[in-house]
Amino acid sequence: CLSSGKPKGVETLVRWQHPDDGLVYPDQFIATAEAAGLISEVTLCVLDAALKQARRWSDAGLDLSVAINVSMDDLSALDLPETVAREADRAG
């Protein structure tokens, strides 16, 4: 927020810390995950981590919105809203 200088929200950025290759950016693995049918697992992992962090921030008194990027493959899944709601409920 420009007027207060306080953050209002954050965006989750996915990175893969490879043991040999170091930091791998999404443009190097998202398309492969989509092609292999694994993007939903990546999305769930990112969602889980984002929700857990949001819970920690909330517990610390920070009221932040959290955004995550979702693959078009996941957006077309009819159960995506229920999955997000279930995971958010689980994270508190």
Side-chain angles (χ1 to χ4, degrees), residues 61-84:
L62 296 171
D63 183 25
L64 297 170
S65 63
V66 178
I68 67 167
N69 293 312
V70 179
S71 166
M72 288 302 295
D73 293 353
D74 287 328
L75 283 177
S76 66
L78 296 177
D79 64 340
L80 180 62
E82 291 81 11
T83 298
V84 172

Side-chain angles (χ1 to χ4, degrees), residues 27-87:
D27 64 325
Q28 297 174 287
F29 66 88
I30 294 296
T32 302
E34 288 173 335
L38 299 172
I39 195 64
S40 292
E41 285 80 2
V42 172
T43 299
L44 282 175
C45 184
V46 171
L47 178 62
D48 178 62
L51 289 169
K52 286 178 180 174
Q53 182 61 58
R55 174 80 268 158
R56 288 190 291 272
W57 284 326
S58 179
D59 290 346
L62 296 171
D63 183 25
L64 297 170
S65 63
V66 178
I68 67 167
N69 293 312
V70 179
S71 166
M72 288 302 295
D73 293 353
D74 287 328
L75 283 177
S76 66
L78 296 177
D79 64 340
L80 180 62
E82 291 81 11
T83 298
V84 172
R86 181 187 67 239
E87 295 303 314

